Amino acid sequence: MSSYDLIVIGAGPGGYVCAIRAAQLGQKVAVVEGRATLGGTCLNVGCIPSKALLHASHMYHEAGHNFEKMGLMGEVPSVDWTVTQSYKAETVETNTKGIEFLFKKNKIDWIKGWGQIEAPGKVKVGDTTYDAKNIVIATGSEPTPLKGVEVDNAGAVIVDSTGALVLPKVPASMVVIGAGVIGLELGSVYARLGAKVTVIEYLDAITPGMDAEIQKQLQKTLTKQGLDFVLGAAVQSATAKNGKATVTYKLRKDDSEHSVEAEVVLLATGRRPYLDGLGLDKVGVALTDRGQVAVDKHWATNVPGIYALGDAVPGPMLAHKAEDEGMAVAEVIAGKAGHVNYDVIPGVIYTTPEVASVGLTEAAAKETGRKVKVGKFPFLGNARAKAMFQGDGFVKIVADAETDRVLGAHIIGPSAGEMIHEICVAMEFGASAEDIALTCHAHPTTSEAVREAALALGDGAIHV
């Protein structure tokens, strides 16, 4: 029987980062993973392949809409979907092979198969049971089902996010159920490639939880790109027949019933922890009311020696949140002080324009009872953004009116996902808006818009 200091169940971003960090700290580590490749949902059927398709579809859109404006003449390229899928697969393979290399480099054993916790300190994979001083549950999440909508990825008519990545062709029409990150990203991919996309959302605004001004601007921009939105609508059913689907929904405002047909329906109503087959009930690991693994502030479950992280536990279902927790858990197990600042975890939507946020929204900041001030700067005032035909959008910084301390930031515009980290670092150091405003930013860059928004919190922005 093999024995380890730590066995991690799941090789997604949280699991593999936890394993690598634990190995760096001198632990003997194994990772249990049943997929044929490492990297979990994120690298295999989530973050990475979707970003490959987003990049490819953006390049195609640029060729068809902006190349001529720059004097780049010629025929607009056509889409060879088979080659696009190959490019996506190669991107995935490069990244998953990279994790294999890191495992070998850090002397981490990959136990291939699906793990079950037999008892504290014992993990069974196949017919073999392994001993471990500590166990970490990092099993990630799966798409949340919706009553009346039966996903059949093999049929390629009613699909979830996994199925949407491998459609046999670009559909002429698509209905997306859910206006969250996954639905908008994949919906925008197919809209750019020529599909007529309709997004149906139960709530009255897209991207639930985001800043209200960001929601409005993103919907406006995506509408200009060809996406249609039906908000405040409760989907009743989605049925497939003869290679097409019909989605029926009711408008919440008047309970009227409507339907829409499409070649493909994408169910994108969120995700839930994936805990099937782990045997948690057998060993007595407690769950929350929402089916997540209950953990304390050190990510420990109620069973000694068993920890959990990432999508399996409460908090935003983000790969980078899982990575942070993976490092922290490894350090806690090694006797160090693992830490995650949940107030400074950025979120990004990789549409065009990108959307990024961190910290409190304006509404949430006001709900705390403090006095709040807001600084905004439009990308129409940014030279670099205009040169790239991406002047839509803005930077918005929320600060405490009395202390000038930055409480949050919200960006919709070019490279928003990169620019948000300046605010993250500022918030980690307890910076004021003035600190950002007094920091020299290279010209011409889109990041200058962040400085201008910070200036707007003081005497005023310069270029507006």
Side-chain angles (χ1 to χ4, degrees), residues 62-100:
E62 287 293 285
H65 291 77
N66 289 327
F67 275 17
E68 266 192 27
K69 298 175 185 176
M70 297 181 284
L72 306 177
M73 315 306 286
E75 289 187 26
V76 174
S78 59
V79 178
D80 188 324
W81 188 237
T82 301
V83 176
T84 302
Q85 286 287 319
S86 295
Y87 151 69
K88 181 202 70 182
E90 289 170 7
T91 303
V92 170
E93 183 180 15
T94 299
N95 282 277
T96 57
K97 290 292 185 184
I99 305 303
E100 280 193 54

PDB file of all heavy atoms in Angstrom, residues 62-100:
ATOM      1  N   GLU A  62     -12.688  40.932 -36.601  1.00  0.00           N
ATOM      2  CA  GLU A  62     -11.832  42.068 -36.967  1.00  0.00           C
ATOM      3  C   GLU A  62     -11.579  42.104 -38.478  1.00  0.00           C
ATOM      4  O   GLU A  62     -11.620  43.159 -39.106  1.00  0.00           O
ATOM      5  CB  GLU A  62     -10.493  41.982 -36.232  1.00  0.00           C
ATOM      6  CG  GLU A  62     -10.574  42.308 -34.746  1.00  0.00           C
ATOM      7  CD  GLU A  62     -10.916  43.765 -34.492  1.00  0.00           C
ATOM      8  OE1 GLU A  62     -10.042  44.611 -34.660  1.00  0.00           O
ATOM      9  OE2 GLU A  62     -12.086  44.036 -34.162  1.00  0.00           O
ATOM     10  N   ALA A  63     -11.343  40.925 -39.052  1.00  0.00           N
ATOM     11  CA  ALA A  63     -11.082  40.856 -40.488  1.00  0.00           C
ATOM     12  C   ALA A  63     -12.289  41.334 -41.290  1.00  0.00           C
ATOM     13  O   ALA A  63     -12.152  41.997 -42.323  1.00  0.00           O
ATOM     14  CB  ALA A  63     -10.708  39.437 -40.895  1.00  0.00           C
ATOM     15  N   GLY A  64     -13.475  41.011 -40.805  1.00  0.00           N
ATOM     16  CA  GLY A  64     -14.672  41.375 -41.534  1.00  0.00           C
ATOM     17  C   GLY A  64     -15.167  42.777 -41.285  1.00  0.00           C
ATOM     18  O   GLY A  64     -15.903  43.341 -42.110  1.00  0.00           O
ATOM     19  N   HIS A  65     -14.758  43.398 -40.174  1.00  0.00           N
ATOM     20  CA  HIS A  65     -15.323  44.688 -39.804  1.00  0.00           C
ATOM     21  C   HIS A  65     -14.311  45.843 -39.728  1.00  0.00           C
ATOM     22  O   HIS A  65     -14.678  46.993 -39.956  1.00  0.00           O
ATOM     23  CB  HIS A  65     -16.046  44.582 -38.455  1.00  0.00           C
ATOM     24  CG  HIS A  65     -17.288  43.754 -38.508  1.00  0.00           C
ATOM     25  ND1 HIS A  65     -17.256  42.383 -38.531  1.00  0.00           N
ATOM     26  CD2 HIS A  65     -18.600  44.118 -38.563  1.00  0.00           C
ATOM     27  CE1 HIS A  65     -18.510  41.931 -38.582  1.00  0.00           C
ATOM     28  NE2 HIS A  65     -19.330  42.950 -38.614  1.00  0.00           N
ATOM     29  N   ASN A  66     -13.059  45.546 -39.414  1.00  0.00           N
ATOM     30  CA  ASN A  66     -12.118  46.641 -39.161  1.00  0.00           C
ATOM     31  C   ASN A  66     -10.880  46.654 -40.044  1.00  0.00           C
ATOM     32  O   ASN A  66     -10.185  47.670 -40.105  1.00  0.00           O
ATOM     33  CB  ASN A  66     -11.672  46.613 -37.689  1.00  0.00           C
ATOM     34  CG  ASN A  66     -12.797  47.045 -36.755  1.00  0.00           C
ATOM     35  OD1 ASN A  66     -13.619  47.888 -37.104  1.00  0.00           O
ATOM     36  ND2 ASN A  66     -12.841  46.451 -35.579  1.00  0.00           N
ATOM     37  N   PHE A  67     -10.580  45.543 -40.708  1.00  0.00           N
ATOM     38  CA  PHE A  67      -9.358  45.510 -41.513  1.00  0.00           C
ATOM     39  C   PHE A  67      -9.359  46.587 -42.604  1.00  0.00           C
ATOM     40  O   PHE A  67      -8.362  47.270 -42.826  1.00  0.00           O
ATOM     41  CB  PHE A  67      -9.166  44.130 -42.146  1.00  0.00           C
ATOM     42  CG  PHE A  67      -8.472  43.154 -41.225  1.00  0.00           C
ATOM     43  CD1 PHE A  67      -8.384  43.384 -39.854  1.00  0.00           C
ATOM     44  CD2 PHE A  67      -7.899  41.992 -41.730  1.00  0.00           C
ATOM     45  CE1 PHE A  67      -7.754  42.490 -39.012  1.00  0.00           C
ATOM     46  CE2 PHE A  67      -7.253  41.090 -40.891  1.00  0.00           C
ATOM     47  CZ  PHE A  67      -7.182  41.337 -39.539  1.00  0.00           C
ATOM     48  N   GLU A  68     -10.484  46.717 -43.314  1.00  0.00           N
ATOM     49  CA  GLU A  68     -10.548  47.703 -44.398  1.00  0.00           C
ATOM     50  C   GLU A  68     -10.303  49.120 -43.899  1.00  0.00           C
ATOM     51  O   GLU A  68      -9.691  49.938 -44.579  1.00  0.00           O
ATOM     52  CB  GLU A  68     -11.920  47.640 -45.093  1.00  0.00           C
ATOM     53  CG  GLU A  68     -11.931  46.747 -46.290  1.00  0.00           C
ATOM     54  CD  GLU A  68     -13.188  46.920 -47.123  1.00  0.00           C
ATOM     55  OE1 GLU A  68     -13.786  48.016 -47.092  1.00  0.00           O
ATOM     56  OE2 GLU A  68     -13.557  45.959 -47.809  1.00  0.00           O
ATOM     57  N   LYS A  69     -10.786  49.409 -42.666  1.00  0.00           N
ATOM     58  CA  LYS A  69     -10.617  50.749 -42.094  1.00  0.00           C
ATOM     59  C   LYS A  69      -9.136  51.078 -41.888  1.00  0.00           C
ATOM     60  O   LYS A  69      -8.759  52.248 -41.826  1.00  0.00           O
ATOM     61  CB  LYS A  69     -11.352  50.843 -40.759  1.00  0.00           C
ATOM     62  CG  LYS A  69     -12.859  50.644 -40.840  1.00  0.00           C
ATOM     63  CD  LYS A  69     -13.480  50.629 -39.446  1.00  0.00           C
ATOM     64  CE  LYS A  69     -14.957  50.312 -39.493  1.00  0.00           C
ATOM     65  NZ  LYS A  69     -15.550  50.208 -38.131  1.00  0.00           N
ATOM     66  N   MET A  70      -8.325  50.020 -41.758  1.00  0.00           N
ATOM     67  CA  MET A  70      -6.897  50.215 -41.535  1.00  0.00           C
ATOM     68  C   MET A  70      -6.086  50.044 -42.815  1.00  0.00           C
ATOM     69  O   MET A  70      -4.853  50.009 -42.783  1.00  0.00           O
ATOM     70  CB  MET A  70      -6.393  49.238 -40.465  1.00  0.00           C
ATOM     71  CG  MET A  70      -7.020  49.442 -39.095  1.00  0.00           C
ATOM     72  SD  MET A  70      -6.389  48.305 -37.831  1.00  0.00           S
ATOM     73  CE  MET A  70      -7.247  46.785 -38.265  1.00  0.00           C
ATOM     74  N   GLY A  71      -6.791  49.898 -43.939  1.00  0.00           N
ATOM     75  CA  GLY A  71      -6.093  49.731 -45.206  1.00  0.00           C
ATOM     76  C   GLY A  71      -5.627  48.320 -45.469  1.00  0.00           C
ATOM     77  O   GLY A  71      -4.801  48.085 -46.357  1.00  0.00           O
ATOM     78  N   LEU A  72      -6.145  47.364 -44.698  1.00  0.00           N
ATOM     79  CA  LEU A  72      -5.779  45.956 -44.891  1.00  0.00           C
ATOM     80  C   LEU A  72      -6.826  45.342 -45.803  1.00  0.00           C
ATOM     81  O   LEU A  72      -7.866  44.863 -45.363  1.00  0.00           O
ATOM     82  CB  LEU A  72      -5.719  45.233 -43.548  1.00  0.00           C
ATOM     83  CG  LEU A  72      -4.816  45.884 -42.495  1.00  0.00           C
ATOM     84  CD1 LEU A  72      -4.880  45.128 -41.184  1.00  0.00           C
ATOM     85  CD2 LEU A  72      -3.373  45.934 -43.001  1.00  0.00           C
ATOM     86  N   MET A  73      -6.558  45.374 -47.094  1.00  0.00           N
ATOM     87  CA  MET A  73      -7.559  45.016 -48.085  1.00  0.00           C
ATOM     88  C   MET A  73      -7.463  43.548 -48.476  1.00  0.00           C
ATOM     89  O   MET A  73      -6.445  42.887 -48.293  1.00  0.00           O
ATOM     90  CB  MET A  73      -7.396  45.899 -49.328  1.00  0.00           C
ATOM     91  CG  MET A  73      -7.183  47.374 -49.003  1.00  0.00           C
ATOM     92  SD  MET A  73      -8.458  48.093 -47.913  1.00  0.00           S
ATOM     93  CE  MET A  73      -9.806  48.207 -49.082  1.00  0.00           C
ATOM     94  N   GLY A  74      -8.557  43.052 -49.019  1.00  0.00           N
ATOM     95  CA  GLY A  74      -8.587  41.661 -49.477  1.00  0.00           C
ATOM     96  C   GLY A  74      -9.887  41.008 -49.071  1.00  0.00           C
ATOM     97  O   GLY A  74     -10.729  41.597 -48.404  1.00  0.00           O
ATOM     98  N   GLU A  75     -10.035  39.768 -49.499  1.00  0.00           N
ATOM     99  CA  GLU A  75     -11.256  39.041 -49.177  1.00  0.00           C
ATOM    100  C   GLU A  75     -11.317  38.726 -47.685  1.00  0.00           C
ATOM    101  O   GLU A  75     -10.302  38.433 -47.049  1.00  0.00           O
ATOM    102  CB  GLU A  75     -11.315  37.732 -49.971  1.00  0.00           C
ATOM    103  CG  GLU A  75     -11.564  37.917 -51.456  1.00  0.00           C
ATOM    104  CD  GLU A  75     -11.776  36.590 -52.158  1.00  0.00           C
ATOM    105  OE1 GLU A  75     -12.212  35.629 -51.492  1.00  0.00           O
ATOM    106  OE2 GLU A  75     -11.489  36.510 -53.364  1.00  0.00           O
ATOM    107  N   VAL A  76     -12.537  38.780 -47.172  1.00  0.00           N
ATOM    108  CA  VAL A  76     -12.732  38.372 -45.784  1.00  0.00           C
ATOM    109  C   VAL A  76     -12.542  36.866 -45.696  1.00  0.00           C
ATOM    110  O   VAL A  76     -13.085  36.124 -46.519  1.00  0.00           O
ATOM    111  CB  VAL A  76     -14.147  38.753 -45.300  1.00  0.00           C
ATOM    112  CG1 VAL A  76     -14.401  38.205 -43.906  1.00  0.00           C
ATOM    113  CG2 VAL A  76     -14.331  40.257 -45.333  1.00  0.00           C
ATOM    114  N   PRO A  77     -11.758  36.360 -44.747  1.00  0.00           N
ATOM    115  CA  PRO A  77     -11.533  34.919 -44.663  1.00  0.00           C
ATOM    116  C   PRO A  77     -12.819  34.164 -44.350  1.00  0.00           C
ATOM    117  O   PRO A  77     -13.739  34.701 -43.742  1.00  0.00           O
ATOM    118  CB  PRO A  77     -10.519  34.791 -43.510  1.00  0.00           C
ATOM    119  CG  PRO A  77     -10.694  36.033 -42.710  1.00  0.00           C
ATOM    120  CD  PRO A  77     -11.057  37.094 -43.678  1.00  0.00           C
ATOM    121  N   SER A  78     -12.872  32.914 -44.783  1.00  0.00           N
ATOM    122  CA  SER A  78     -13.991  32.045 -44.445  1.00  0.00           C
ATOM    123  C   SER A  78     -13.597  31.190 -43.251  1.00  0.00           C
ATOM    124  O   SER A  78     -12.410  31.107 -42.888  1.00  0.00           O
ATOM    125  CB  SER A  78     -14.359  31.158 -45.636  1.00  0.00           C
ATOM    126  OG  SER A  78     -13.249  30.370 -46.023  1.00  0.00           O
ATOM    127  N   VAL A  79     -14.575  30.570 -42.637  1.00  0.00           N
ATOM    128  CA  VAL A  79     -14.321  29.767 -41.448  1.00  0.00           C
ATOM    129  C   VAL A  79     -14.238  28.294 -41.824  1.00  0.00           C
ATOM    130  O   VAL A  79     -15.193  27.733 -42.375  1.00  0.00           O
ATOM    131  CB  VAL A  79     -15.429  29.967 -40.390  1.00  0.00           C
ATOM    132  CG1 VAL A  79     -15.174  29.077 -39.175  1.00  0.00           C
ATOM    133  CG2 VAL A  79     -15.502  31.430 -39.967  1.00  0.00           C
ATOM    134  N   ASP A  80     -13.106  27.684 -41.570  1.00  0.00           N
ATOM    135  CA  ASP A  80     -12.970  26.230 -41.671  1.00  0.00           C
ATOM    136  C   ASP A  80     -13.076  25.685 -40.255  1.00  0.00           C
ATOM    137  O   ASP A  80     -12.104  25.671 -39.503  1.00  0.00           O
ATOM    138  CB  ASP A  80     -11.629  25.848 -42.307  1.00  0.00           C
ATOM    139  CG  ASP A  80     -11.535  24.343 -42.601  1.00  0.00           C
ATOM    140  OD1 ASP A  80     -12.073  23.556 -41.803  1.00  0.00           O
ATOM    141  OD2 ASP A  80     -10.917  23.975 -43.620  1.00  0.00           O
ATOM    142  N   TRP A  81     -14.268  25.279 -39.877  1.00  0.00           N
ATOM    143  CA  TRP A  81     -14.558  24.898 -38.489  1.00  0.00           C
ATOM    144  C   TRP A  81     -13.699  23.726 -38.022  1.00  0.00           C
ATOM    145  O   TRP A  81     -13.324  23.636 -36.852  1.00  0.00           O
ATOM    146  CB  TRP A  81     -16.043  24.584 -38.353  1.00  0.00           C
ATOM    147  CG  TRP A  81     -16.528  24.371 -36.959  1.00  0.00           C
ATOM    148  CD1 TRP A  81     -17.162  23.264 -36.459  1.00  0.00           C
ATOM    149  CD2 TRP A  81     -16.447  25.291 -35.861  1.00  0.00           C
ATOM    150  NE1 TRP A  81     -17.479  23.429 -35.135  1.00  0.00           N
ATOM    151  CE2 TRP A  81     -17.053  24.673 -34.744  1.00  0.00           C
ATOM    152  CE3 TRP A  81     -15.922  26.580 -35.717  1.00  0.00           C
ATOM    153  CZ2 TRP A  81     -17.150  25.295 -33.503  1.00  0.00           C
ATOM    154  CZ3 TRP A  81     -16.014  27.202 -34.483  1.00  0.00           C
ATOM    155  CH2 TRP A  81     -16.619  26.570 -33.397  1.00  0.00           C
ATOM    156  N   THR A  82     -13.366  22.830 -38.939  1.00  0.00           N
ATOM    157  CA  THR A  82     -12.518  21.684 -38.576  1.00  0.00           C
ATOM    158  C   THR A  82     -11.139  22.154 -38.143  1.00  0.00           C
ATOM    159  O   THR A  82     -10.576  21.681 -37.149  1.00  0.00           O
ATOM    160  CB  THR A  82     -12.396  20.711 -39.766  1.00  0.00           C
ATOM    161  OG1 THR A  82     -13.700  20.250 -40.138  1.00  0.00           O
ATOM    162  CG2 THR A  82     -11.529  19.512 -39.393  1.00  0.00           C
ATOM    163  N   VAL A  83     -10.591  23.120 -38.871  1.00  0.00           N
ATOM    164  CA  VAL A  83      -9.277  23.654 -38.513  1.00  0.00           C
ATOM    165  C   VAL A  83      -9.356  24.448 -37.210  1.00  0.00           C
ATOM    166  O   VAL A  83      -8.467  24.372 -36.359  1.00  0.00           O
ATOM    167  CB  VAL A  83      -8.717  24.537 -39.652  1.00  0.00           C
ATOM    168  CG1 VAL A  83      -7.391  25.166 -39.240  1.00  0.00           C
ATOM    169  CG2 VAL A  83      -8.529  23.711 -40.913  1.00  0.00           C
ATOM    170  N   THR A  84     -10.435  25.205 -37.038  1.00  0.00           N
ATOM    171  CA  THR A  84     -10.623  25.954 -35.787  1.00  0.00           C
ATOM    172  C   THR A  84     -10.667  24.999 -34.599  1.00  0.00           C
ATOM    173  O   THR A  84     -10.059  25.262 -33.553  1.00  0.00           O
ATOM    174  CB  THR A  84     -11.927  26.778 -35.844  1.00  0.00           C
ATOM    175  OG1 THR A  84     -11.884  27.665 -36.955  1.00  0.00           O
ATOM    176  CG2 THR A  84     -12.099  27.591 -34.573  1.00  0.00           C
ATOM    177  N   GLN A  85     -11.373  23.886 -34.761  1.00  0.00           N
ATOM    178  CA  GLN A  85     -11.444  22.901 -33.681  1.00  0.00           C
ATOM    179  C   GLN A  85     -10.069  22.283 -33.402  1.00  0.00           C
ATOM    180  O   GLN A  85      -9.722  22.011 -32.251  1.00  0.00           O
ATOM    181  CB  GLN A  85     -12.456  21.812 -34.031  1.00  0.00           C
ATOM    182  CG  GLN A  85     -13.907  22.257 -33.933  1.00  0.00           C
ATOM    183  CD  GLN A  85     -14.367  22.424 -32.492  1.00  0.00           C
ATOM    184  OE1 GLN A  85     -14.041  21.634 -31.622  1.00  0.00           O
ATOM    185  NE2 GLN A  85     -15.117  23.479 -32.236  1.00  0.00           N
ATOM    186  N   SER A  86      -9.291  22.086 -34.465  1.00  0.00           N
ATOM    187  CA  SER A  86      -7.934  21.539 -34.283  1.00  0.00           C
ATOM    188  C   SER A  86      -7.044  22.523 -33.527  1.00  0.00           C
ATOM    189  O   SER A  86      -6.266  22.134 -32.650  1.00  0.00           O
ATOM    190  CB  SER A  86      -7.304  21.212 -35.636  1.00  0.00           C
ATOM    191  OG  SER A  86      -8.024  20.178 -36.277  1.00  0.00           O
ATOM    192  N   TYR A  87      -7.160  23.800 -33.885  1.00  0.00           N
ATOM    193  CA  TYR A  87      -6.411  24.849 -33.170  1.00  0.00           C
ATOM    194  C   TYR A  87      -6.781  24.857 -31.692  1.00  0.00           C
ATOM    195  O   TYR A  87      -5.906  24.933 -30.817  1.00  0.00           O
ATOM    196  CB  TYR A  87      -6.704  26.204 -33.806  1.00  0.00           C
ATOM    197  CG  TYR A  87      -6.625  27.393 -32.882  1.00  0.00           C
ATOM    198  CD1 TYR A  87      -5.399  27.818 -32.358  1.00  0.00           C
ATOM    199  CD2 TYR A  87      -7.782  28.085 -32.535  1.00  0.00           C
ATOM    200  CE1 TYR A  87      -5.348  28.916 -31.508  1.00  0.00           C
ATOM    201  CE2 TYR A  87      -7.732  29.182 -31.698  1.00  0.00           C
ATOM    202  CZ  TYR A  87      -6.510  29.587 -31.178  1.00  0.00           C
ATOM    203  OH  TYR A  87      -6.458  30.664 -30.325  1.00  0.00           O
ATOM    204  N   LYS A  88      -8.064  24.758 -31.402  1.00  0.00           N
ATOM    205  CA  LYS A  88      -8.524  24.711 -30.011  1.00  0.00           C
ATOM    206  C   LYS A  88      -7.952  23.493 -29.289  1.00  0.00           C
ATOM    207  O   LYS A  88      -7.464  23.596 -28.159  1.00  0.00           O
ATOM    208  CB  LYS A  88     -10.052  24.669 -29.980  1.00  0.00           C
ATOM    209  CG  LYS A  88     -10.662  24.646 -28.586  1.00  0.00           C
ATOM    210  CD  LYS A  88     -12.070  24.087 -28.607  1.00  0.00           C
ATOM    211  CE  LYS A  88     -12.026  22.593 -28.896  1.00  0.00           C
ATOM    212  NZ  LYS A  88     -13.367  21.993 -28.975  1.00  0.00           N
ATOM    213  N   ALA A  89      -7.991  22.329 -29.952  1.00  0.00           N
ATOM    214  CA  ALA A  89      -7.496  21.096 -29.338  1.00  0.00           C
ATOM    215  C   ALA A  89      -5.997  21.165 -29.067  1.00  0.00           C
ATOM    216  O   ALA A  89      -5.511  20.697 -28.029  1.00  0.00           O
ATOM    217  CB  ALA A  89      -7.813  19.905 -30.245  1.00  0.00           C
ATOM    218  N   GLU A  90      -5.262  21.757 -29.995  1.00  0.00           N
ATOM    219  CA  GLU A  90      -3.812  21.902 -29.801  1.00  0.00           C
ATOM    220  C   GLU A  90      -3.513  22.831 -28.627  1.00  0.00           C
ATOM    221  O   GLU A  90      -2.561  22.603 -27.868  1.00  0.00           O
ATOM    222  CB  GLU A  90      -3.170  22.454 -31.086  1.00  0.00           C
ATOM    223  CG  GLU A  90      -3.143  21.458 -32.233  1.00  0.00           C
ATOM    224  CD  GLU A  90      -2.741  22.097 -33.551  1.00  0.00           C
ATOM    225  OE1 GLU A  90      -2.353  23.295 -33.531  1.00  0.00           O
ATOM    226  OE2 GLU A  90      -2.826  21.422 -34.594  1.00  0.00           O
ATOM    227  N   THR A  91      -4.312  23.878 -28.486  1.00  0.00           N
ATOM    228  CA  THR A  91      -4.138  24.791 -27.356  1.00  0.00           C
ATOM    229  C   THR A  91      -4.351  24.058 -26.040  1.00  0.00           C
ATOM    230  O   THR A  91      -3.576  24.217 -25.088  1.00  0.00           O
ATOM    231  CB  THR A  91      -5.136  25.964 -27.465  1.00  0.00           C
ATOM    232  OG1 THR A  91      -4.949  26.631 -28.706  1.00  0.00           O
ATOM    233  CG2 THR A  91      -4.938  26.949 -26.323  1.00  0.00           C
ATOM    234  N   VAL A  92      -5.395  23.239 -25.995  1.00  0.00           N
ATOM    235  CA  VAL A  92      -5.688  22.460 -24.796  1.00  0.00           C
ATOM    236  C   VAL A  92      -4.558  21.477 -24.509  1.00  0.00           C
ATOM    237  O   VAL A  92      -4.076  21.372 -23.371  1.00  0.00           O
ATOM    238  CB  VAL A  92      -7.024  21.703 -24.951  1.00  0.00           C
ATOM    239  CG1 VAL A  92      -7.206  20.690 -23.814  1.00  0.00           C
ATOM    240  CG2 VAL A  92      -8.189  22.679 -24.978  1.00  0.00           C
ATOM    241  N   GLU A  93      -4.106  20.768 -25.536  1.00  0.00           N
ATOM    242  CA  GLU A  93      -3.072  19.757 -25.351  1.00  0.00           C
ATOM    243  C   GLU A  93      -1.771  20.376 -24.835  1.00  0.00           C
ATOM    244  O   GLU A  93      -1.117  19.821 -23.936  1.00  0.00           O
ATOM    245  CB  GLU A  93      -2.809  19.012 -26.660  1.00  0.00           C
ATOM    246  CG  GLU A  93      -1.778  17.891 -26.512  1.00  0.00           C
ATOM    247  CD  GLU A  93      -1.519  17.165 -27.811  1.00  0.00           C
ATOM    248  OE1 GLU A  93      -1.906  17.673 -28.883  1.00  0.00           O
ATOM    249  OE2 GLU A  93      -0.907  16.075 -27.766  1.00  0.00           O
ATOM    250  N   THR A  94      -1.410  21.511 -25.386  1.00  0.00           N
ATOM    251  CA  THR A  94      -0.183  22.183 -24.938  1.00  0.00           C
ATOM    252  C   THR A  94      -0.236  22.488 -23.446  1.00  0.00           C
ATOM    253  O   THR A  94       0.745  22.287 -22.720  1.00  0.00           O
ATOM    254  CB  THR A  94       0.030  23.494 -25.726  1.00  0.00           C
ATOM    255  OG1 THR A  94       0.156  23.188 -27.107  1.00  0.00           O
ATOM    256  CG2 THR A  94       1.280  24.213 -25.246  1.00  0.00           C
ATOM    257  N   ASN A  95      -1.384  22.963 -22.995  1.00  0.00           N
ATOM    258  CA  ASN A  95      -1.526  23.322 -21.585  1.00  0.00           C
ATOM    259  C   ASN A  95      -1.604  22.111 -20.670  1.00  0.00           C
ATOM    260  O   ASN A  95      -0.994  22.091 -19.595  1.00  0.00           O
ATOM    261  CB  ASN A  95      -2.761  24.206 -21.402  1.00  0.00           C
ATOM    262  CG  ASN A  95      -2.528  25.638 -21.832  1.00  0.00           C
ATOM    263  OD1 ASN A  95      -2.003  26.458 -21.093  1.00  0.00           O
ATOM    264  ND2 ASN A  95      -2.905  25.953 -23.055  1.00  0.00           N
ATOM    265  N   THR A  96      -2.338  21.080 -21.073  1.00  0.00           N
ATOM    266  CA  THR A  96      -2.444  19.889 -20.212  1.00  0.00           C
ATOM    267  C   THR A  96      -1.111  19.141 -20.138  1.00  0.00           C
ATOM    268  O   THR A  96      -0.740  18.630 -19.076  1.00  0.00           O
ATOM    269  CB  THR A  96      -3.554  18.947 -20.710  1.00  0.00           C
ATOM    270  OG1 THR A  96      -3.307  18.572 -22.067  1.00  0.00           O
ATOM    271  CG2 THR A  96      -4.914  19.629 -20.626  1.00  0.00           C
ATOM    272  N   LYS A  97      -0.392  19.096 -21.250  1.00  0.00           N
ATOM    273  CA  LYS A  97       0.938  18.472 -21.224  1.00  0.00           C
ATOM    274  C   LYS A  97       1.883  19.257 -20.318  1.00  0.00           C
ATOM    275  O   LYS A  97       2.769  18.682 -19.668  1.00  0.00           O
ATOM    276  CB  LYS A  97       1.517  18.407 -22.643  1.00  0.00           C
ATOM    277  CG  LYS A  97       0.822  17.420 -23.559  1.00  0.00           C
ATOM    278  CD  LYS A  97       1.053  15.982 -23.142  1.00  0.00           C
ATOM    279  CE  LYS A  97       0.442  15.017 -24.148  1.00  0.00           C
ATOM    280  NZ  LYS A  97       0.584  13.603 -23.712  1.00  0.00           N
ATOM    281  N   GLY A  98       1.659  20.567 -20.253  1.00  0.00           N
ATOM    282  CA  GLY A  98       2.472  21.393 -19.359  1.00  0.00           C
ATOM    283  C   GLY A  98       2.279  21.017 -17.905  1.00  0.00           C
ATOM    284  O   GLY A  98       3.237  21.022 -17.112  1.00  0.00           O
ATOM    285  N   ILE A  99       1.055  20.682 -17.526  1.00  0.00           N
ATOM    286  CA  ILE A  99       0.807  20.257 -16.146  1.00  0.00           C
ATOM    287  C   ILE A  99       1.477  18.914 -15.875  1.00  0.00           C
ATOM    288  O   ILE A  99       2.044  18.703 -14.799  1.00  0.00           O
ATOM    289  CB  ILE A  99      -0.712  20.149 -15.866  1.00  0.00           C
ATOM    290  CG1 ILE A  99      -1.406  21.482 -16.203  1.00  0.00           C
ATOM    291  CG2 ILE A  99      -0.968  19.780 -14.403  1.00  0.00           C
ATOM    292  CD1 ILE A  99      -0.869  22.671 -15.471  1.00  0.00           C
ATOM    293  N   GLU A 100       1.442  18.011 -16.860  1.00  0.00           N
ATOM    294  CA  GLU A 100       2.149  16.724 -16.695  1.00  0.00           C
ATOM    295  C   GLU A 100       3.631  16.962 -16.432  1.00  0.00           C
ATOM    296  O   GLU A 100       4.241  16.307 -15.566  1.00  0.00           O
ATOM    297  CB  GLU A 100       1.976  15.867 -17.950  1.00  0.00           C
ATOM    298  CG  GLU A 100       0.655  15.137 -18.035  1.00  0.00           C
ATOM    299  CD  GLU A 100       0.675  14.073 -19.124  1.00  0.00           C
ATOM    300  OE1 GLU A 100       1.586  13.220 -19.094  1.00  0.00           O
ATOM    301  OE2 GLU A 100      -0.218  14.102 -19.988  1.00  0.00           O
TER     302      GLU A 100
END
